[in-house]
Amino acid sequence: MKHIISLLMENESGALSRVAGLFSARAYNIESLTVAPTEDATLSRMTIVTSGSEEVIEQIIKQLNKLVDVVKVLDLNDGRYIERELMLVKVKATGIFRDEMKRMCDIFRGRIIDVADGSYTIEVTGSSSKLDAFLEALDKSAILETVRTGASGIGRGDRILKV
Amino acid sequence: MEDRSSPHSHQISGAEILIRCLQEEKVKFVFGYPGGAVLHIYDEIFKQDAFKHILVRHEQAAVHAADAFARATGEVGVALVTSGPGATNAITGIATAYMDSIPLVVISGQVPAPAIGMDAFQEVDMVGITRPCVKHNFLVKDVKDIAATIKKAFYIAATGRPGPVVVDIPKDITAHFAKFEYPASVEMRSYTPIMKGHSGQIKKAVKLLLEAKRPMIYTGGGVVLGNAAEELVQLARKLGYPVTNTLMGLGGYPSTDNQFLGMLGMHGTYEANMAMQNCDVLLAVGARFDDRVIGNPGHFFSKDRTIIHVDVDPSSISKRVKIDVPIVGHVKSVLAEMNELLIAETKAPDAGEIKSWWQQIDTWREKKSLVYKNSTDVIKPQYVIEKLWEVTKGDAYVTSDVGQHQMWAAQYYKFDKPRRWINSGGLGTMGVGLPYAMGCQLANPTAQVACITGEGSIQMNIQELSTCHQFRLPIKVILLNNRYLGMVRQWQEFFYENRYSESYMDSLPDFVKLAESYGHVGMNIVNPADVEGALKGAFDMKDRFVFMNFITDQTENVFPMVPNGKGLSEMILAGEE
């Protein structure tokens, strides 16, 4: 099952490689990983999307906690959470595609952020599955390029991950 | 080239700061090898006498020797190597310590900070290379950070589940100047090891133990490393339950005690493995249910049992087998708490059930799974170990390399005290035996130290014969020389239809002459009748390093044996193969 794991770690050089190395060394799946500093410059927040059996997820959480630089780990799937990912898609915008792409963009509440003679660049935000759905809905031959940030997650309401 | 700008009066160089840190940590020995990147540090070593530097002949041996010093004493071992090849030579030593959770601080030199990433001479990304085999590592980027980093390194290495910590220090940093202030304590928000176990869980565990009909206590290296042998003995004696130790746990419970069933696992005794498989309540302490211990987990779970697992590392719990009562905490404190509860407890184990369980165990014991057929013509390796145990009165520090001789040492030398059996259990590193013996002998200068080895393993760090001579270490090498890579040969015999691919050791040196050339005493022992006398003679030479080359039976195998991937009760016994 897919899990979204959030963690806070010391904002030190090499911290990212410790997490990435752990996943490859122990053969854990990693679907996406995003990391950036928080409002506290000494801390980085990371969101890892992974999948595995309950036993594997339990081991992943324990192994992450064991890393000396990791301050806190939270499995967002243990409660209610919100997930957002940002995607930029460059699509063909010639002939019939020019109107079609604008319509699809509106349906998915995306924004066209760059317009060129033959293409649009569309920005879409949402859960990873919504972004998947958007790509599914587009004519494959119209997609020129995609780039996704990987999911970020945060607990709902009072669920707060903070030091 | 380097900035060695003149210091203010209260400032000292980074190299001197490092030395002062090691003195603050009361380090007695630094095992190392000099080179370009650590020259400033070695210059400061020259000027001090608070600790002794042991010059090895290869950096791998420096780390192994520091590791053995830690295993034998419980203190943090310290090794010092130069950048590049010095650092990479240390890797096997670091990985060995990591697998067995040994507290080490390994200091490596690095090229000057401005040269990092420039493919400089003797540059290697030590932090990157060691990341998967250390508990933690640091690259020091400022002379002002040296003291705090070394303090943290010792703290991380020794606390929680211990392990090696690497501190990589660029050469220019050791030349810069700063004020020396050693922190009194360490506070890390990201690292707070759990010490005390959950009281509710401990109570639950004691209740389960008292209700058990077929109880078993299985303990590992955690009891030895956690200095919990006394608490374990108290618990086991109070309950009267059978105890088994893993390879790493030997000495955690006295081997000559009647409640001891011997080592368990791939080459464990019949009774230990059968009791492990058939118990109804299992107390696992500082052990991790690894593949060499319980074999196939599926087979292990074909029998129902309730498992209590005490370990300082939460990630060791429910990793390979599902645990019913997990207790995360320092084994010493958890066992002490169990003992307190048991003293206050009015309920006692069911005497009838426990008696019939012991009767069952006694029938397994009757298999006498460690009995071997001795010979008057050819030396049996098991016989050498038995005699070694007698001659040393069971009180030696015994190191081993890896292979058949290691298993025979574990099976036939009855360890009654913790920290006496020093071997590479997790990584299985051939070549550790001799440097391990060096670390043990330096830690205990008057103790008997025996290195049980094979002709394959000993040649992997044979250069240390020179170090042993330099420091006059009176180690006794027990070479069980069967002219085969014995364990490889055994597997080839069992599982590869006797195709002995590359497992034969041809062109061996004359070990007696070799030992003599290094200034040691060498002995060849060919006749079984000479074994005991040779051992006595060697140990009587209290101030000499003696290299004993025992020419042993070439085809002897280690029994019992649980074949790879099989279950614990699917052992091959001697005479059944």
Side-chain angles (χ1 to χ4, degrees):
Chain A
M1 188 193 150
K2 191 175 109 170
H3 279 250
I4 302 190
I5 296 166
S6 277
L7 60 95
L8 286 170
M9 62 194 307
E10 298 291 353
N11 189 8
E12 286 183 13
S13 67
L16 172 62
S17 70
R18 289 182 206 278
V19 173
L22 169 68
F23 274 74
S24 63
R26 294 192 182 265
Y28 300 143
N29 293 320
I30 191 157
E31 280 177 27
S32 73
L33 184 159
T34 85
V35 60
T38 63
E39 77 284 2
D40 174 351
T42 66
L43 286 173
S44 285
R45 166 116 176 197
M46 189 179 284
T47 309
I48 302 163
V49 180
T50 182
S51 60
S53 64
E54 286 310 305
E55 292 77 33
V56 169
I57 299 295
E58 186 185 327
Q59 266 298 311
I60 290 175
I61 304 275
K62 285 175 171 177
Q63 294 291 346
L64 285 169
N65 268 312
K66 206 165 133 180
L67 293 176
V68 168
D69 281 338
V70 169
V71 186
K72 272 192 179 174
V73 183
L74 178 68
D75 183 353
L76 286 176
N77 293 57
D78 284 346
R80 299 196 307 139
Y81 66 96
I82 305 160
E83 168 202 348
R84 287 291 180 273
E85 182 176 359
L86 182 135
M87 173 169 69
L88 304 177
V89 193
K90 193 172 286 179
V91 293
K92 262 189 219 161
T94 50
I96 53 153
F97 283 132
R98 203 140 179 110
D99 282 348
E100 169 70 7
M101 288 303 153
K102 175 78 175 72
R103 253 196 317 275
M104 290 304 288
C105 176
D106 289 343
I107 292 168
F108 281 85
R109 297 182 194 188
R111 294 195 302 149
I112 295 175
I113 54 172
D114 184 51
V115 177
D117 281 351
S119 71
Y120 290 149
T121 299
I122 302 170
E123 173 194 317
V124 197
T125 312
S127 67
S128 301
S129 54
K130 176 186 161 180
L131 305 193
D132 293 342
F134 180 61
L135 290 177
E136 282 289 311
L138 296 179
D139 189 321
K140 290 283 160 297
S141 65
I143 301 172
L144 299 171
E145 186 180 352
T146 61
V147 53
R148 298 172 68 151
T149 59
S152 288
I154 196 163
R156 279 192 186 271
D158 292 339
R159 284 188 93 199
I160 290 164
L161 178 64
K162 207 170 162 60
V163 173
Chain B
M1 187 175 80
E2 286 157 15
D3 173 26
R4 296 200 76 167
S5 54
S6 58
H8 296 290
S9 58
H10 57 283
Q11 289 185 321
I12 58 175
S13 74
E16 196 179 345
I17 289 173
L18 175 63
I19 302 303
R20 295 274 292 274
C21 292
L22 299 179
Q23 291 169 356
E24 290 283 340
E25 292 293 339
K26 304 197 169 39
V27 170
K28 298 184 188 86
F29 295 101
V30 171
F31 299 86
Y33 205 101
V38 286
L39 279 173
H40 298 321
I41 299 170
Y42 271 87
D43 194 41
E44 291 301 327
I45 288 177
F46 188 84
K47 299 175 196 163
Q48 64 87 46
D49 56 7
F51 60 78
K52 191 165 180 178
H53 179 271
I54 304 297
L55 176 67
V56 294
R57 300 299 182 267
H58 186 288
E59 288 88 350
Q60 183 190 347
V63 183
H64 288 327
D67 166 342
F69 181 85
R71 290 180 201 239
T73 62
E75 295 166 31
V76 176
V78 181
L80 171 61
V81 299
T82 193
S83 65
T88 54
N89 278 349
I91 303 294
T92 301
I94 296 167
T96 303
Y98 180 65
M99 284 293 271
D100 289 344
S101 309
I102 306 303
L104 280 190
V105 170
V106 177
I107 298 155
S108 54
Q110 182 54 278
V111 300
I116 292 178
M118 296 292 154
D119 300 321
F121 176 63
Q122 292 193 331
E123 179 185 359
V124 72
D125 173 13
M126 184 60 165
V127 166
I129 283 186
T130 57
R131 199 194 57 231
C133 62
V134 292
K135 185 169 172 188
H136 198 58
N137 58 21
F138 296 96
L139 170 64
V140 180
K141 289 176 179 155
D142 189 318
V143 64
K144 292 196 233 26
D145 296 337
I146 291 179
T149 306
I150 297 292
K151 180 80 187 176
K152 273 187 192 170
F154 275 84
Y155 172 68
I156 293 169
T159 52
R161 179 177 180 172
V165 177
V166 164
V167 183
D168 198 33
I169 312 179
K171 185 176 186 181
D172 55 330
I173 305 290
T174 61
H176 294 164
F177 288 89
K179 196 173 159 204
F180 175 65
E181 269 176 308
Y182 204 60
S185 61
V186 184
E187 284 263 342
M188 295 174 75
R189 62 181 172 184
S190 64
Y191 177 73
T192 49
I194 298 159
M195 297 305 286
K196 214 178 152 309
H198 187 280
S199 301
Q201 291 287 88
I202 295 174
K203 278 200 190 95
K204 200 167 154 189
V206 167
K207 186 166 176 285
L208 277 166
L209 283 169
L210 287 169
E211 288 165 358
K213 294 185 172 72
R214 299 185 312 280
M216 180 72 171
I217 302 173
Y218 143 65
T219 79
V223 168
V224 176
L225 293 171
N227 298 317
E230 218 175 287
E231 287 78 4
L232 172 66
V233 170
Q234 194 188 331
L235 180 87
R237 294 251 167 90
K238 173 86 180 159
L239 290 167
Y241 291 173
V243 182
T244 182
N245 288 162
T246 66
L247 178 70
M248 293 307 297
L250 291 173
Y253 191 84
S255 297
T256 52
D257 187 278
N258 195 46
Q259 278 171 247
F260 189 65
L261 304 192
M263 180 174 77
L264 83 165
M266 184 173 270
H267 295 295
T269 64
Y270 187 75
E271 55 270 31
N273 285 345
M274 292 303 282
M276 186 80 177
Q277 182 72 10
N278 292 289
C279 65
D280 71 338
V281 175
L282 178 65
L283 172 64
V285 187
R288 57 190 178 87
F289 295 87
D290 82 66
D291 52 304
R292 288 300 194 260
V293 166
I294 60 154
N296 183 334
H299 182 276
F300 186 60
F301 272 103
S302 62
K303 292 269 186 175
D304 254 353
R305 66 180 86 62
T306 306
I307 308 180
I308 304 157
H309 191 180
V310 184
D311 206 290
V312 74
D313 176 8
S315 73
S316 280
I317 295 176
S318 291
K319 184 169 69 180
R320 287 194 84 233
V321 303
K322 188 99 188 76
I323 301 301
D324 303 287
V325 184
I327 303 173
V328 178
H330 198 278
V331 291
K332 190 181 178 76
S333 104
V334 173
L335 290 179
E337 214 172 317
M338 284 184 171
N339 284 328
E340 279 170 32
L341 289 174
L342 280 173
I343 289 167
E345 180 64 55
T346 50
K347 196 169 177 269
D350 185 329
E353 293 285 1
I354 302 302
K355 194 178 165 205
S356 61
W357 175 229
W358 271 111
Q359 281 166 350
Q360 171 64 69
I361 289 170
D362 285 339
T363 64
W364 290 327
R365 273 180 165 165
E366 276 159 27
K367 283 259 186 189
K368 297 189 187 310
S369 60
L370 291 184
V371 167
Y372 62 94
K373 220 168 141 194
N374 211 349
S375 161
T376 50
D377 304 326
V378 56
I379 298 175
K380 292 286 180 175
Q382 301 96 323
Y383 176 69
V384 179
I385 313 281
E386 284 182 336
K387 286 294 153 193
L388 174 68
W389 181 74
E390 286 175 26
V391 168
T392 56
K393 302 188 169 56
D395 202 33
Y397 285 82
V398 176
T399 77
S400 89
D401 272 298
V402 170
Q404 285 184 319
H405 66 269
Q406 177 190 23
M407 293 300 114
W408 285 317
Q411 290 174 329
Y412 293 93
Y413 198 98
K414 297 190 267 293
F415 294 93
D416 279 340
K417 293 178 191 164
R419 301 194 178 279
R420 292 303 175 101
W421 166 234
I422 316 283
N423 83 127
S424 167
L427 197 66
T429 307
M430 287 172 71
V432 294
L434 186 53
Y436 271 3
M438 288 159 38
C440 289
Q441 191 76 74
L442 285 160
N444 305 280
T446 59
Q448 307 177 93
V449 177
C451 164
I452 298 171
T453 184
E455 76 286 354
S457 287
I458 191 70
Q459 292 190 89
M460 285 209 186
N461 265 318
I462 194 88
Q463 76 286 345
E464 297 308 314
L465 288 174
S466 174
T467 311
C468 293
H469 182 56
Q470 181 177 346
F471 295 95
R472 300 292 188 273
L473 302 178
I475 293 160
K476 310 296 182 269
V477 171
I478 318 290
L479 169 57
L480 302 176
N481 184 346
N482 64 354
R483 287 83 68 210
Y484 271 118
L485 299 176
M487 193 57 92
V488 173
R489 192 206 58 76
Q490 179 169 342
W491 282 53
Q492 288 171 336
E493 178 187 330
F494 287 12
F495 312 118
Y496 297 90
E497 295 164 337
N498 306 314
R499 290 186 297 278
Y500 298 132
S501 178
E502 306 297 324
S503 55
Y504 184 70
M505 273 277 149
D506 204 354
S507 306
L508 289 171
D510 178 332
F511 286 108
V512 170
K513 279 189 186 156
L514 182 72
E516 286 170 356
S517 78
Y518 279 106
H520 302 311
V521 178
M523 293 180 181
N524 278 326
I525 305 100
V526 183
N527 194 331
D530 297 334
V531 169
E532 189 169 354
L535 286 166
K536 279 184 176 157
F539 280 95
D540 280 346
M541 286 185 255
K542 295 204 185 306
D543 56 351
R544 295 303 301 274
F545 183 110
V546 183
F547 194 116
M548 278 170 279
N549 180 29
F550 292 92
I551 304 300
T552 62
D553 189 345
Q554 280 204 285
T555 56
E556 195 64 28
N557 288 322
V558 181
F559 293 110
M561 180 179 190
V562 179
N564 211 15
K566 291 280 188 178
L568 270 186
S569 57
E570 300 175 305
M571 282 165 276
I572 306 172
L573 300 178
E576 282 183 359
E577 73 267 38

